[in-house]
Amino acid sequence: MLAARTGVTARLDAVRAAMAEAGVDALVLRPSPDFRFLGGGDGFPGAAFLVVTRDVVAGTGDPAGLVPEGARRVGVDPEMRVRELFGLAIEAELVPASAVLAPLRLRKEPYEVAAVGRAAACAEAVLRQARELAWYGATERAMAAALRVMALESGCEEVLSLRVAAGEHTARAAHVPGDRLINPGDALLVSLCGRWDGYCAEVARVFAVAEPPEDFEAMYSVVLAAHGAALAAARPSAPASDVARAVGDVIDGSGYGRFASPHIGRGVGLGPDEGPRLAEDTPLAPGMTFCLEPAIYVPDLFGARVADVVACTETGPLVLSGGPPALHVLDR
């Protein structure tokens, strides 16, 4: 953890410079990705809040006591609960701390990229092991519970989301696993988002049970082609929106355009949903890590979504989670 501690120390100067530029006199953070970014937890175990000012960085249970007298603007954690906000008793304008911290979290240090890569490899390994489970006749909910246990046994600190969708449910972007039985001939969509050693990753894979539904393989091949086009577009200095545009071009050209998911991807790191956002024009740069997740959802029929964690490097994109395979047919 020496590299992590050194990284936290080195970034405080940048944080304070950004605070000065934004006219923010203090940051008050609760346990969250921003909290961990500045060493909360490891450096200040048990602290309810982390306070950063021009002169101080400290964990505390009473942040008002560390905010400078006469402070005019205080950045607060965007994940802070309403009761926590009211309980701060700080007489200053409260603004989101993300205005200061989000730009600084865009590019990861090498040790952070490695940590995201380990998390991605763990998520990928769980879904690879899932191929060996007995799916026939089980419910979505039961299989989701089995995958949760597997994730925790892999060292996952927190399962942030877990999706198992079968048949027509694969066409629902926000489907919650239920009591539907998984039967031969079903399409199956499985995804896992979790945190390992402080860093987050999400991987999603598509399977067929015994045999794929009619036309499903053709649709899945379009999603794979869109994934490949997105990687080709994810070059250093290219706008992140070029990645989304590449996905759209492939899916639109296939005739599935009206069924394409508008959500192409987002950054991952200490949090599961951060910058860069692939619908925006932020230039990609080495050290950025993001979840690439093209999808097609055909209502009441089936859908396919693949998700991989990708790092932008000096020479181009690097898939940290292995990349989506050809359609795997489950045999039990």
Side-chain angles (χ1 to χ4, degrees):
M1 296 297 291
L2 178 60
R5 294 302 311 150
T6 302
V8 168
T9 301
R11 66 177 54 129
L12 274 172
D13 286 343
V15 169
R16 287 171 168 144
M19 289 168 61
E21 185 175 349
V24 171
D25 301 299
L27 299 178
V28 177
L29 309 175
R30 67 177 302 280
S32 67
D34 283 340
F35 184 91
R36 293 192 296 275
F37 178 69
L38 291 178
D42 292 333
F44 308 94
F49 298 94
L50 183 68
V51 176
V52 181
T53 70
R54 183 178 62 184
D55 304 310
V56 172
V57 54
T60 181
D62 179 22
L66 293 177
V67 172
E69 186 175 350
R72 301 184 63 178
R73 301 182 81 216
V74 174
V76 296
D77 201 304
E79 294 191 11
M80 197 170 288
R81 301 178 181 92
V82 172
R83 66 181 179 183
E84 290 173 325
L85 287 170
F86 281 113
L88 291 179
I90 295 173
E91 295 183 3
E93 178 188 2
L94 302 183
V95 299
S98 52
V100 171
L101 297 176
L104 300 177
R105 287 176 52 196
L106 274 174
R107 297 182 67 172
K108 277 64 175 176
E109 300 291 337
Y111 76 88
E112 293 183 287
V113 175
V116 173
R118 288 192 295 272
C122 287
E124 169 73 16
V126 171
L127 296 194
R128 192 164 52 246
Q129 293 169 25
R131 300 177 182 180
E132 306 306 318
L133 298 177
W135 292 85
Y136 293 12
T139 65
E140 295 171 337
R141 182 178 287 113
M143 297 311 294
L147 290 173
R148 180 177 296 273
V149 170
M150 291 168 61
L152 295 174
E153 289 178 344
S154 77
C156 183
E157 298 164 354
E158 183 181 5
V159 176
L160 300 167
S161 69
L162 201 160
R163 180 183 178 196
V164 174
E168 70 284 357
H169 290 173
T170 60
R172 301 177 184 176
H175 178 66
V176 176
D179 291 328
R180 186 195 188 281
L181 293 178
I182 299 167
N183 297 309
D186 279 340
L188 189 65
L189 199 162
V190 181
S191 68
L192 169 63
C193 179
R195 180 180 292 113
W196 287 263
D197 294 329
Y199 286 83
C200 300
E202 179 170 6
V203 175
R205 294 291 179 254
V206 174
F207 307 120
V209 184
E211 60 180 358
E214 185 177 358
D215 297 328
F216 184 74
E217 286 183 282
M219 187 197 68
Y220 180 63
S221 70
V222 174
V223 175
L224 292 185
H227 185 282
L231 287 177
R235 314 297 299 182
S237 300
S241 57
D242 280 4
V243 178
R245 189 173 300 111
V247 169
D249 288 347
V250 170
I251 297 178
D252 288 346
S254 73
Y256 281 101
R258 64 195 178 101
F259 303 121
S261 169
H263 184 73
I264 306 302
R266 83 286 182 189
V268 291
L270 286 168
D273 188 355
E274 54 188 53
R277 304 191 185 283
L278 300 186
E280 298 176 356
D281 291 332
T282 303
L284 296 176
M288 291 183 177
T289 53
F290 57 90
C291 180
L292 173 62
E293 45 189 332
I296 295 173
Y297 301 116
V298 183
D300 301 319
L301 192 58
F302 45 58
R305 169 179 173 261
V306 295
D308 278 292
V309 179
V310 178
C312 184
T313 75
E314 295 282 357
T315 57
L318 175 64
V319 181
L320 300 177
S321 49
L327 183 64
H328 183 84
V329 178
L330 301 167
D331 60 7
R332 57 178 176 155

